[in-house]
PDB file of all heavy atoms in Angstrom:
ATOM      1  N   LYS L 306      77.345  19.435  11.037  1.00 95.00           N
ATOM      2  CA  LYS L 306      76.310  19.869  11.970  1.00 95.00           C
ATOM      3  C   LYS L 306      76.767  19.687  13.410  1.00 95.00           C
ATOM      4  O   LYS L 306      76.548  20.558  14.263  1.00 95.00           O
ATOM      5  CB  LYS L 306      75.028  19.077  11.714  1.00 95.00           C
ATOM      6  CG  LYS L 306      73.856  19.527  12.525  1.00 95.00           C
ATOM      7  CD  LYS L 306      72.604  18.753  12.130  1.00 95.00           C
ATOM      8  CE  LYS L 306      71.420  19.194  12.935  1.00 95.00           C
ATOM      9  NZ  LYS L 306      70.199  18.465  12.559  1.00 95.00           N
ATOM     10  N   LYS L 307      77.429  18.575  13.704  1.00 96.00           N
ATOM     11  CA  LYS L 307      77.927  18.298  15.061  1.00 96.00           C
ATOM     12  C   LYS L 307      78.981  19.334  15.470  1.00 96.00           C
ATOM     13  O   LYS L 307      78.963  19.843  16.592  1.00 96.00           O
ATOM     14  CB  LYS L 307      78.508  16.883  15.109  1.00 96.00           C
ATOM     15  CG  LYS L 307      79.093  16.486  16.431  1.00 96.00           C
ATOM     16  CD  LYS L 307      78.023  16.190  17.427  1.00 96.00           C
ATOM     17  CE  LYS L 307      78.598  15.552  18.669  1.00 96.00           C
ATOM     18  NZ  LYS L 307      77.562  15.223  19.631  1.00 96.00           N
ATOM     19  N   VAL L 308      79.901  19.658  14.561  1.00 97.00           N
ATOM     20  CA  VAL L 308      80.946  20.648  14.877  1.00 97.00           C
ATOM     21  C   VAL L 308      80.309  21.995  15.184  1.00 97.00           C
ATOM     22  O   VAL L 308      80.655  22.649  16.177  1.00 97.00           O
ATOM     23  CB  VAL L 308      81.959  20.772  13.721  1.00 97.00           C
ATOM     24  CG1 VAL L 308      82.886  21.955  13.932  1.00 97.00           C
ATOM     25  CG2 VAL L 308      82.761  19.498  13.574  1.00 97.00           C
ATOM     26  N   TYR L 309      79.351  22.418  14.359  1.00 96.00           N
ATOM     27  CA  TYR L 309      78.702  23.710  14.593  1.00 96.00           C
ATOM     28  C   TYR L 309      77.882  23.703  15.880  1.00 96.00           C
ATOM     29  O   TYR L 309      77.833  24.705  16.589  1.00 96.00           O
ATOM     30  CB  TYR L 309      77.830  24.099  13.401  1.00 96.00           C
ATOM     31  CG  TYR L 309      78.642  24.490  12.176  1.00 96.00           C
ATOM     32  CD1 TYR L 309      78.407  23.890  10.948  1.00 96.00           C
ATOM     33  CD2 TYR L 309      79.642  25.448  12.255  1.00 96.00           C
ATOM     34  CE1 TYR L 309      79.147  24.241   9.827  1.00 96.00           C
ATOM     35  CE2 TYR L 309      80.389  25.801  11.145  1.00 96.00           C
ATOM     36  CZ  TYR L 309      80.132  25.197   9.934  1.00 96.00           C
ATOM     37  OH  TYR L 309      80.865  25.557   8.833  1.00 96.00           O
ATOM     38  N   ARG L 310      77.234  22.580  16.203  1.00 96.00           N
ATOM     39  CA  ARG L 310      76.478  22.493  17.457  1.00 96.00           C
ATOM     40  C   ARG L 310      77.405  22.579  18.662  1.00 96.00           C
ATOM     41  O   ARG L 310      77.104  23.246  19.651  1.00 96.00           O
ATOM     42  CB  ARG L 310      75.682  21.180  17.512  1.00 96.00           C
ATOM     43  CG  ARG L 310      74.355  21.281  16.854  1.00 96.00           C
ATOM     44  CD  ARG L 310      73.410  20.115  17.113  1.00 96.00           C
ATOM     45  NE  ARG L 310      73.827  19.126  18.065  1.00 96.00           N
ATOM     46  CZ  ARG L 310      74.012  17.828  17.789  1.00 96.00           C
ATOM     47  NH1 ARG L 310      73.836  17.375  16.585  1.00 96.00           N
ATOM     48  NH2 ARG L 310      74.376  16.996  18.733  1.00 96.00           N
ATOM     49  N   LEU L 311      78.547  21.884  18.608  1.00 96.00           N
ATOM     50  CA  LEU L 311      79.512  21.935  19.712  1.00 96.00           C
ATOM     51  C   LEU L 311      80.107  23.331  19.856  1.00 96.00           C
ATOM     52  O   LEU L 311      80.310  23.817  20.972  1.00 96.00           O
ATOM     53  CB  LEU L 311      80.616  20.901  19.500  1.00 96.00           C
ATOM     54  CG  LEU L 311      80.199  19.443  19.624  1.00 96.00           C
ATOM     55  CD1 LEU L 311      81.336  18.527  19.188  1.00 96.00           C
ATOM     56  CD2 LEU L 311      79.766  19.125  21.037  1.00 96.00           C
ATOM     57  N   LEU L 312      80.371  23.971  18.735  1.00 96.00           N
ATOM     58  CA  LEU L 312      80.902  25.332  18.764  1.00 96.00           C
ATOM     59  C   LEU L 312      79.865  26.296  19.342  1.00 96.00           C
ATOM     60  O   LEU L 312      80.191  27.156  20.167  1.00 96.00           O
ATOM     61  CB  LEU L 312      81.309  25.750  17.356  1.00 96.00           C
ATOM     62  CG  LEU L 312      82.052  27.055  17.190  1.00 96.00           C
ATOM     63  CD1 LEU L 312      83.267  27.127  18.095  1.00 96.00           C
ATOM     64  CD2 LEU L 312      82.467  27.235  15.745  1.00 96.00           C
ATOM     65  N   HIS L 313      78.613  26.126  18.947  1.00 94.00           N
ATOM     66  CA  HIS L 313      77.529  26.954  19.487  1.00 94.00           C
ATOM     67  C   HIS L 313      77.402  26.747  20.994  1.00 94.00           C
ATOM     68  O   HIS L 313      77.238  27.707  21.754  1.00 94.00           O
ATOM     69  CB  HIS L 313      76.214  26.602  18.782  1.00 94.00           C
ATOM     70  CG  HIS L 313      75.075  27.458  19.194  1.00 94.00           C
ATOM     71  ND1 HIS L 313      74.284  27.171  20.274  1.00 94.00           N
ATOM     72  CD2 HIS L 313      74.588  28.614  18.671  1.00 94.00           C
ATOM     73  CE1 HIS L 313      73.362  28.104  20.403  1.00 94.00           C
ATOM     74  NE2 HIS L 313      73.521  28.985  19.443  1.00 94.00           N
ATOM     75  N   ARG L 314      77.496  25.501  21.442  1.00 94.00           N
ATOM     76  CA  ARG L 314      77.394  25.196  22.871  1.00 94.00           C
ATOM     77  C   ARG L 314      78.519  25.866  23.653  1.00 94.00           C
ATOM     78  O   ARG L 314      78.304  26.414  24.732  1.00 94.00           O
ATOM     79  CB  ARG L 314      77.437  23.683  23.074  1.00 94.00           C
ATOM     80  CG  ARG L 314      77.243  23.281  24.518  1.00 94.00           C
ATOM     81  CD  ARG L 314      77.302  21.791  24.697  1.00 94.00           C
ATOM     82  NE  ARG L 314      76.261  21.146  23.932  1.00 94.00           N
ATOM     83  CZ  ARG L 314      76.285  19.865  23.600  1.00 94.00           C
ATOM     84  NH1 ARG L 314      77.286  19.104  23.946  1.00 94.00           N
ATOM     85  NH2 ARG L 314      75.298  19.342  22.907  1.00 94.00           N
ATOM     86  N   LYS L 315      79.727  25.842  23.100  1.00 94.00           N
ATOM     87  CA  LYS L 315      80.863  26.458  23.783  1.00 94.00           C
ATOM     88  C   LYS L 315      80.694  27.976  23.859  1.00 94.00           C
ATOM     89  O   LYS L 315      80.959  28.588  24.894  1.00 94.00           O
ATOM     90  CB  LYS L 315      82.163  26.107  23.071  1.00 94.00           C
ATOM     91  CG  LYS L 315      83.391  26.554  23.816  1.00 94.00           C
ATOM     92  CD  LYS L 315      84.585  25.780  23.330  1.00 94.00           C
ATOM     93  CE  LYS L 315      85.806  26.050  24.138  1.00 94.00           C
ATOM     94  NZ  LYS L 315      85.793  25.483  25.453  1.00 94.00           N
ATOM     95  N   LEU L 316      80.218  28.578  22.775  1.00 93.00           N
ATOM     96  CA  LEU L 316      79.993  30.023  22.783  1.00 93.00           C
ATOM     97  C   LEU L 316      78.888  30.406  23.769  1.00 93.00           C
ATOM     98  O   LEU L 316      78.991  31.418  24.467  1.00 93.00           O
ATOM     99  CB  LEU L 316      79.644  30.504  21.373  1.00 93.00           C
ATOM    100  CG  LEU L 316      80.785  30.456  20.362  1.00 93.00           C
ATOM    101  CD1 LEU L 316      80.269  30.702  18.966  1.00 93.00           C
ATOM    102  CD2 LEU L 316      81.878  31.430  20.722  1.00 93.00           C
ATOM    103  N   MET L 317      77.830  29.603  23.832  1.00 91.00           N
ATOM    104  CA  MET L 317      76.754  29.878  24.783  1.00 91.00           C
ATOM    105  C   MET L 317      77.218  29.679  26.221  1.00 91.00           C
ATOM    106  O   MET L 317      76.812  30.416  27.119  1.00 91.00           O
ATOM    107  CB  MET L 317      75.544  28.983  24.496  1.00 91.00           C
ATOM    108  CG  MET L 317      74.719  29.423  23.315  1.00 91.00           C
ATOM    109  SD  MET L 317      74.085  31.097  23.460  1.00 91.00           S
ATOM    110  CE  MET L 317      73.048  30.959  24.891  1.00 91.00           C
ATOM    111  N   PHE L 318      78.071  28.679  26.453  1.00 90.00           N
ATOM    112  CA  PHE L 318      78.585  28.440  27.792  1.00 90.00           C
ATOM    113  C   PHE L 318      79.363  29.656  28.295  1.00 90.00           C
ATOM    114  O   PHE L 318      79.273  30.030  29.462  1.00 90.00           O
ATOM    115  CB  PHE L 318      79.489  27.197  27.794  1.00 90.00           C
ATOM    116  CG  PHE L 318      80.101  26.900  29.124  1.00 90.00           C
ATOM    117  CD1 PHE L 318      79.356  26.300  30.124  1.00 90.00           C
ATOM    118  CD2 PHE L 318      81.433  27.223  29.382  1.00 90.00           C
ATOM    119  CE1 PHE L 318      79.924  26.024  31.360  1.00 90.00           C
ATOM    120  CE2 PHE L 318      81.997  26.960  30.607  1.00 90.00           C
ATOM    121  CZ  PHE L 318      81.244  26.354  31.604  1.00 90.00           C
ATOM    122  N   HIS L 319      80.112  30.291  27.403  1.00 90.00           N
ATOM    123  CA  HIS L 319      80.886  31.482  27.766  1.00 90.00           C
ATOM    124  C   HIS L 319      80.097  32.771  27.554  1.00 90.00           C
ATOM    125  O   HIS L 319      80.646  33.862  27.717  1.00 90.00           O
ATOM    126  CB  HIS L 319      82.191  31.518  26.964  1.00 90.00           C
ATOM    127  CG  HIS L 319      83.156  30.454  27.382  1.00 90.00           C
ATOM    128  ND1 HIS L 319      83.890  30.521  28.534  1.00 90.00           N
ATOM    129  CD2 HIS L 319      83.474  29.268  26.818  1.00 90.00           C
ATOM    130  CE1 HIS L 319      84.641  29.449  28.661  1.00 90.00           C
ATOM    131  NE2 HIS L 319      84.396  28.668  27.633  1.00 90.00           N
ATOM    132  N   ARG L 320      78.827  32.628  27.176  1.00 88.00           N
ATOM    133  CA  ARG L 320      77.899  33.742  27.016  1.00 88.00           C
ATOM    134  C   ARG L 320      78.409  34.806  26.042  1.00 88.00           C
ATOM    135  O   ARG L 320      78.263  36.006  26.262  1.00 88.00           O
ATOM    136  CB  ARG L 320      77.550  34.352  28.361  1.00 88.00           C
ATOM    137  CG  ARG L 320      76.971  33.302  29.322  1.00 88.00           C
ATOM    138  CD  ARG L 320      76.302  33.826  30.534  1.00 88.00           C
ATOM    139  NE  ARG L 320      75.290  34.815  30.371  1.00 88.00           N
ATOM    140  CZ  ARG L 320      74.016  34.567  30.024  1.00 88.00           C
ATOM    141  NH1 ARG L 320      73.637  33.346  29.767  1.00 88.00           N
ATOM    142  NH2 ARG L 320      73.149  35.548  29.941  1.00 88.00           N
ATOM    143  N   VAL L 321      79.001  34.354  24.949  1.00 89.00           N
ATOM    144  CA  VAL L 321      79.483  35.266  23.916  1.00 89.00           C
ATOM    145  C   VAL L 321      78.276  35.834  23.186  1.00 89.00           C
ATOM    146  O   VAL L 321      77.434  35.094  22.675  1.00 89.00           O
ATOM    147  CB  VAL L 321      80.415  34.525  22.923  1.00 89.00           C
ATOM    148  CG1 VAL L 321      80.803  35.429  21.768  1.00 89.00           C
ATOM    149  CG2 VAL L 321      81.636  34.005  23.645  1.00 89.00           C
ATOM    150  N   GLY L 322      78.158  37.148  23.163  1.00 86.00           N
ATOM    151  CA  GLY L 322      77.072  37.816  22.463  1.00 86.00           C
ATOM    152  C   GLY L 322      75.745  37.820  23.192  1.00 86.00           C
ATOM    153  O   GLY L 322      74.748  38.272  22.638  1.00 86.00           O
ATOM    154  N   VAL L 323      75.704  37.333  24.427  1.00 86.00           N
ATOM    155  CA  VAL L 323      74.464  37.317  25.199  1.00 86.00           C
ATOM    156  C   VAL L 323      74.463  38.535  26.109  1.00 86.00           C
ATOM    157  O   VAL L 323      75.364  38.714  26.918  1.00 86.00           O
ATOM    158  CB  VAL L 323      74.338  36.019  26.029  1.00 86.00           C
ATOM    159  CG1 VAL L 323      73.067  36.035  26.868  1.00 86.00           C
ATOM    160  CG2 VAL L 323      74.367  34.802  25.130  1.00 86.00           C
ATOM    161  N   LYS L 324      73.446  39.357  25.960  1.00 80.00           N
ATOM    162  CA  LYS L 324      73.346  40.550  26.797  1.00 80.00           C
ATOM    163  C   LYS L 324      72.763  40.187  28.153  1.00 80.00           C
ATOM    164  O   LYS L 324      71.963  39.265  28.274  1.00 80.00           O
ATOM    165  CB  LYS L 324      72.472  41.588  26.100  1.00 80.00           C
ATOM    166  CG  LYS L 324      73.081  42.099  24.814  1.00 80.00           C
ATOM    167  CD  LYS L 324      72.166  43.090  24.136  1.00 80.00           C
ATOM    168  CE  LYS L 324      72.768  43.623  22.876  1.00 80.00           C
ATOM    169  NZ  LYS L 324      72.741  42.683  21.777  1.00 80.00           N
ATOM    170  N   GLU L 325      73.162  40.896  29.169  1.00 81.00           N
ATOM    171  CA  GLU L 325      72.682  40.655  30.534  1.00 81.00           C
ATOM    172  C   GLU L 325      71.173  40.805  30.590  1.00 81.00           C
ATOM    173  O   GLU L 325      70.625  41.801  30.141  1.00 81.00           O
ATOM    174  CB  GLU L 325      73.353  41.633  31.499  1.00 81.00           C
ATOM    175  CG  GLU L 325      73.196  41.277  32.947  1.00 81.00           C
ATOM    176  CD  GLU L 325      73.885  39.967  33.313  1.00 81.00           C
ATOM    177  OE1 GLU L 325      74.959  39.707  32.771  1.00 81.00           O
ATOM    178  OE2 GLU L 325      73.320  39.219  34.122  1.00 81.00           O
ATOM    179  N   GLY L 326      70.505  39.815  31.134  1.00 79.00           N
ATOM    180  CA  GLY L 326      69.056  39.850  31.275  1.00 79.00           C
ATOM    181  C   GLY L 326      68.291  39.429  30.031  1.00 79.00           C
ATOM    182  O   GLY L 326      67.069  39.360  30.048  1.00 79.00           O
ATOM    183  N   ASN L 327      68.997  39.153  28.933  1.00 77.00           N
ATOM    184  CA  ASN L 327      68.349  38.737  27.692  1.00 77.00           C
ATOM    185  C   ASN L 327      68.141  37.225  27.727  1.00 77.00           C
ATOM    186  O   ASN L 327      69.075  36.466  27.962  1.00 77.00           O
ATOM    187  CB  ASN L 327      69.211  39.134  26.496  1.00 77.00           C
ATOM    188  CG  ASN L 327      68.469  38.983  25.185  1.00 77.00           C
ATOM    189  OD1 ASN L 327      67.357  38.457  25.137  1.00 77.00           O
ATOM    190  ND2 ASN L 327      69.091  39.444  24.123  1.00 77.00           N
ATOM    191  N   LEU L 328      66.919  36.778  27.506  1.00 75.00           N
ATOM    192  CA  LEU L 328      66.610  35.355  27.552  1.00 75.00           C
ATOM    193  C   LEU L 328      66.762  34.664  26.200  1.00 75.00           C
ATOM    194  O   LEU L 328      66.680  33.446  26.118  1.00 75.00           O
ATOM    195  CB  LEU L 328      65.183  35.146  28.079  1.00 75.00           C
ATOM    196  CG  LEU L 328      64.919  35.677  29.479  1.00 75.00           C
ATOM    197  CD1 LEU L 328      63.465  35.451  29.851  1.00 75.00           C
ATOM    198  CD2 LEU L 328      65.828  35.005  30.490  1.00 75.00           C
ATOM    199  N   PHE L 329      66.943  35.421  25.135  1.00 81.00           N
ATOM    200  CA  PHE L 329      67.032  34.841  23.804  1.00 81.00           C
ATOM    201  C   PHE L 329      68.461  34.455  23.473  1.00 81.00           C
ATOM    202  O   PHE L 329      69.400  35.183  23.785  1.00 81.00           O
ATOM    203  CB  PHE L 329      66.502  35.817  22.754  1.00 81.00           C
ATOM    204  CG  PHE L 329      65.049  36.119  22.921  1.00 81.00           C
ATOM    205  CD1 PHE L 329      64.635  37.313  23.485  1.00 81.00           C
ATOM    206  CD2 PHE L 329      64.090  35.196  22.534  1.00 81.00           C
ATOM    207  CE1 PHE L 329      63.295  37.595  23.650  1.00 81.00           C
ATOM    208  CE2 PHE L 329      62.746  35.464  22.689  1.00 81.00           C
ATOM    209  CZ  PHE L 329      62.341  36.661  23.249  1.00 81.00           C
ATOM    210  N   GLN L 330      68.611  33.299  22.822  1.00 85.00           N
ATOM    211  CA  GLN L 330      69.934  32.870  22.368  1.00 85.00           C
ATOM    212  C   GLN L 330      70.234  33.552  21.048  1.00 85.00           C
ATOM    213  O   GLN L 330      69.381  33.598  20.167  1.00 85.00           O
ATOM    214  CB  GLN L 330      69.968  31.363  22.158  1.00 85.00           C
ATOM    215  CG  GLN L 330      69.814  30.551  23.399  1.00 85.00           C
ATOM    216  CD  GLN L 330      69.933  29.058  23.098  1.00 85.00           C
ATOM    217  OE1 GLN L 330      70.129  28.652  21.967  1.00 85.00           O
ATOM    218  NE2 GLN L 330      69.831  28.263  24.128  1.00 85.00           N
ATOM    219  N   PRO L 331      71.452  34.050  20.893  1.00 89.00           N
ATOM    220  CA  PRO L 331      71.789  34.663  19.604  1.00 89.00           C
ATOM    221  C   PRO L 331      72.000  33.598  18.529  1.00 89.00           C
ATOM    222  O   PRO L 331      72.277  32.445  18.821  1.00 89.00           O
ATOM    223  CB  PRO L 331      73.089  35.407  19.902  1.00 89.00           C
ATOM    224  CG  PRO L 331      73.683  34.682  21.038  1.00 89.00           C
ATOM    225  CD  PRO L 331      72.548  34.149  21.847  1.00 89.00           C
ATOM    226  N   THR L 332      71.863  34.022  17.294  1.00 91.00           N
ATOM    227  CA  THR L 332      72.225  33.181  16.158  1.00 91.00           C
ATOM    228  C   THR L 332      73.651  33.549  15.802  1.00 91.00           C
ATOM    229  O   THR L 332      73.940  34.707  15.496  1.00 91.00           O
ATOM    230  CB  THR L 332      71.298  33.460  14.961  1.00 91.00           C
ATOM    231  OG1 THR L 332      69.952  33.181  15.362  1.00 91.00           O
ATOM    232  CG2 THR L 332      71.672  32.606  13.772  1.00 91.00           C
ATOM    233  N   TYR L 333      74.544  32.588  15.884  1.00 94.00           N
ATOM    234  CA  TYR L 333      75.956  32.868  15.627  1.00 94.00           C
ATOM    235  C   TYR L 333      76.268  32.720  14.146  1.00 94.00           C
ATOM    236  O   TYR L 333      75.874  31.754  13.501  1.00 94.00           O
ATOM    237  CB  TYR L 333      76.839  31.916  16.422  1.00 94.00           C
ATOM    238  CG  TYR L 333      76.793  32.148  17.910  1.00 94.00           C
ATOM    239  CD1 TYR L 333      76.328  31.172  18.772  1.00 94.00           C
ATOM    240  CD2 TYR L 333      77.216  33.348  18.457  1.00 94.00           C
ATOM    241  CE1 TYR L 333      76.282  31.373  20.132  1.00 94.00           C
ATOM    242  CE2 TYR L 333      77.170  33.570  19.824  1.00 94.00           C
ATOM    243  CZ  TYR L 333      76.707  32.578  20.657  1.00 94.00           C
ATOM    244  OH  TYR L 333      76.660  32.792  21.999  1.00 94.00           O
ATOM    245  N   VAL L 334      76.992  33.682  13.612  1.00 94.00           N
ATOM    246  CA  VAL L 334      77.544  33.608  12.266  1.00 94.00           C
ATOM    247  C   VAL L 334      79.052  33.493  12.450  1.00 94.00           C
ATOM    248  O   VAL L 334      79.686  34.381  13.017  1.00 94.00           O
ATOM    249  CB  VAL L 334      77.168  34.850  11.425  1.00 94.00           C
ATOM    250  CG1 VAL L 334      77.850  34.795  10.069  1.00 94.00           C
ATOM    251  CG2 VAL L 334      75.667  34.944  11.277  1.00 94.00           C
ATOM    252  N   TYR L 335      79.597  32.381  11.996  1.00 95.00           N
ATOM    253  CA  TYR L 335      81.012  32.083  12.221  1.00 95.00           C
ATOM    254  C   TYR L 335      81.873  32.740  11.150  1.00 95.00           C
ATOM    255  O   TYR L 335      81.427  32.974  10.030  1.00 95.00           O
ATOM    256  CB  TYR L 335      81.227  30.576  12.231  1.00 95.00           C
ATOM    257  CG  TYR L 335      80.375  29.888  13.276  1.00 95.00           C
ATOM    258  CD1 TYR L 335      79.293  29.099  12.914  1.00 95.00           C
ATOM    259  CD2 TYR L 335      80.624  30.073  14.624  1.00 95.00           C
ATOM    260  CE1 TYR L 335      78.497  28.495  13.879  1.00 95.00           C
ATOM    261  CE2 TYR L 335      79.830  29.487  15.589  1.00 95.00           C
ATOM    262  CZ  TYR L 335      78.771  28.699  15.206  1.00 95.00           C
ATOM    263  OH  TYR L 335      77.985  28.121  16.156  1.00 95.00           O
ATOM    264  N   PRO L 336      83.143  33.000  11.482  1.00 95.00           N
ATOM    265  CA  PRO L 336      84.042  33.590  10.489  1.00 95.00           C
ATOM    266  C   PRO L 336      84.271  32.637   9.311  1.00 95.00           C
ATOM    267  O   PRO L 336      84.102  31.423   9.437  1.00 95.00           O
ATOM    268  CB  PRO L 336      85.347  33.829  11.260  1.00 95.00           C
ATOM    269  CG  PRO L 336      85.166  33.297  12.611  1.00 95.00           C
ATOM    270  CD  PRO L 336      83.775  32.807  12.772  1.00 95.00           C
ATOM    271  N   GLU L 337      84.646  33.191   8.195  1.00 95.00           N
ATOM    272  CA  GLU L 337      84.890  32.387   6.992  1.00 95.00           C
ATOM    273  C   GLU L 337      85.967  31.325   7.231  1.00 95.00           C
ATOM    274  O   GLU L 337      85.905  30.245   6.661  1.00 95.00           O
ATOM    275  CB  GLU L 337      85.305  33.287   5.823  1.00 95.00           C
ATOM    276  CG  GLU L 337      84.145  33.990   5.174  1.00 95.00           C
ATOM    277  CD  GLU L 337      83.102  33.028   4.609  1.00 95.00           C
ATOM    278  OE1 GLU L 337      83.475  32.042   3.945  1.00 95.00           O
ATOM    279  OE2 GLU L 337      81.907  33.265   4.846  1.00 95.00           O
ATOM    280  N   GLU L 338      86.939  31.625   8.090  1.00 96.00           N
ATOM    281  CA  GLU L 338      88.000  30.648   8.367  1.00 96.00           C
ATOM    282  C   GLU L 338      87.440  29.386   9.010  1.00 96.00           C
ATOM    283  O   GLU L 338      87.876  28.278   8.694  1.00 96.00           O
ATOM    284  CB  GLU L 338      89.075  31.263   9.276  1.00 96.00           C
ATOM    285  CG  GLU L 338      89.894  32.353   8.627  1.00 96.00           C
ATOM    286  CD  GLU L 338      89.237  33.730   8.660  1.00 96.00           C
ATOM    287  OE1 GLU L 338      88.112  33.853   9.164  1.00 96.00           O
ATOM    288  OE2 GLU L 338      89.858  34.675   8.157  1.00 96.00           O
ATOM    289  N   VAL L 339      86.465  29.543   9.899  1.00 96.00           N
ATOM    290  CA  VAL L 339      85.840  28.377  10.535  1.00 96.00           C
ATOM    291  C   VAL L 339      85.072  27.579   9.499  1.00 96.00           C
ATOM    292  O   VAL L 339      85.171  26.344   9.437  1.00 96.00           O
ATOM    293  CB  VAL L 339      84.913  28.802  11.694  1.00 96.00           C
ATOM    294  CG1 VAL L 339      84.115  27.632  12.217  1.00 96.00           C
ATOM    295  CG2 VAL L 339      85.706  29.444  12.809  1.00 96.00           C
ATOM    296  N   LYS L 340      84.328  28.270   8.662  1.00 95.00           N
ATOM    297  CA  LYS L 340      83.560  27.586   7.621  1.00 95.00           C
ATOM    298  C   LYS L 340      84.493  26.840   6.666  1.00 95.00           C
ATOM    299  O   LYS L 340      84.228  25.698   6.292  1.00 95.00           O
ATOM    300  CB  LYS L 340      82.705  28.580   6.845  1.00 95.00           C
ATOM    301  CG  LYS L 340      81.619  29.226   7.680  1.00 95.00           C
ATOM    302  CD  LYS L 340      80.878  30.256   6.858  1.00 95.00           C
ATOM    303  CE  LYS L 340      79.902  31.044   7.684  1.00 95.00           C
ATOM    304  NZ  LYS L 340      79.221  32.089   6.923  1.00 95.00           N
ATOM    305  N   MET L 341      85.591  27.485   6.261  1.00 95.00           N
ATOM    306  CA  MET L 341      86.530  26.839   5.349  1.00 95.00           C
ATOM    307  C   MET L 341      87.188  25.627   6.000  1.00 95.00           C
ATOM    308  O   MET L 341      87.404  24.602   5.349  1.00 95.00           O
ATOM    309  CB  MET L 341      87.597  27.839   4.884  1.00 95.00           C
ATOM    310  CG  MET L 341      87.053  28.898   3.941  1.00 95.00           C
ATOM    311  SD  MET L 341      88.290  29.987   3.198  1.00 95.00           S
ATOM    312  CE  MET L 341      89.212  30.565   4.602  1.00 95.00           C
ATOM    313  N   LEU L 342      87.513  25.729   7.293  1.00 96.00           N
ATOM    314  CA  LEU L 342      88.115  24.606   8.010  1.00 96.00           C
ATOM    315  C   LEU L 342      87.164  23.415   8.040  1.00 96.00           C
ATOM    316  O   LEU L 342      87.543  22.295   7.683  1.00 96.00           O
ATOM    317  CB  LEU L 342      88.482  25.012   9.438  1.00 96.00           C
ATOM    318  CG  LEU L 342      88.913  23.879  10.362  1.00 96.00           C
ATOM    319  CD1 LEU L 342      90.260  23.334   9.941  1.00 96.00           C
ATOM    320  CD2 LEU L 342      88.941  24.337  11.797  1.00 96.00           C
ATOM    321  N   VAL L 343      85.931  23.647   8.459  1.00 96.00           N
ATOM    322  CA  VAL L 343      84.964  22.553   8.574  1.00 96.00           C
ATOM    323  C   VAL L 343      84.681  21.954   7.202  1.00 96.00           C
ATOM    324  O   VAL L 343      84.604  20.732   7.043  1.00 96.00           O
ATOM    325  CB  VAL L 343      83.671  23.047   9.252  1.00 96.00           C
ATOM    326  CG1 VAL L 343      82.602  21.983   9.237  1.00 96.00           C
ATOM    327  CG2 VAL L 343      83.963  23.486  10.679  1.00 96.00           C
ATOM    328  N   ARG L 344      84.571  22.788   6.191  1.00 94.00           N
ATOM    329  CA  ARG L 344      84.300  22.290   4.838  1.00 94.00           C
ATOM    330  C   ARG L 344      85.493  21.566   4.240  1.00 94.00           C
ATOM    331  O   ARG L 344      85.324  20.668   3.421  1.00 94.00           O
ATOM    332  CB  ARG L 344      83.886  23.441   3.932  1.00 94.00           C
ATOM    333  CG  ARG L 344      82.535  23.997   4.296  1.00 94.00           C
ATOM    334  CD  ARG L 344      82.205  25.227   3.508  1.00 94.00           C
ATOM    335  NE  ARG L 344      80.882  25.724   3.896  1.00 94.00           N
ATOM    336  CZ  ARG L 344      80.334  26.787   3.361  1.00 94.00           C
ATOM    337  NH1 ARG L 344      80.964  27.471   2.436  1.00 94.00           N
ATOM    338  NH2 ARG L 344      79.140  27.179   3.761  1.00 94.00           N
TER     339      ARG L 344
END
């Protein structure tokens, strides 16, 4: 959970997937490689 939260924070900091003027945070779906690494 901590790894995914930190990864989410980093993606939000760089505004990955956030459209200009959109106030909603996206729900990130990580690649299978990330899931396999963490698991």
Side-chain angles (χ1 to χ4, degrees):
K306 186 176 180 180
K307 178 75 170 182
V308 170
Y309 289 127
R310 274 192 7 241
L311 291 172
L312 188 53
H313 184 273
R314 184 181 299 161
K315 188 160 187 72
L316 290 169
M317 283 302 298
F318 178 78
H319 290 285
R320 304 194 52 80
V321 174
V323 178
K324 295 178 179 75
E325 194 65 37
N327 192 353
L328 300 178
F329 296 103
Q330 294 183 0
T332 300
Y333 291 118
V334 175
Y335 303 109
E337 281 300 315
E338 292 83 358
V339 172
K340 294 177 187 177
M341 290 187 309
L342 171 70
V343 173
R344 291 173 180 180

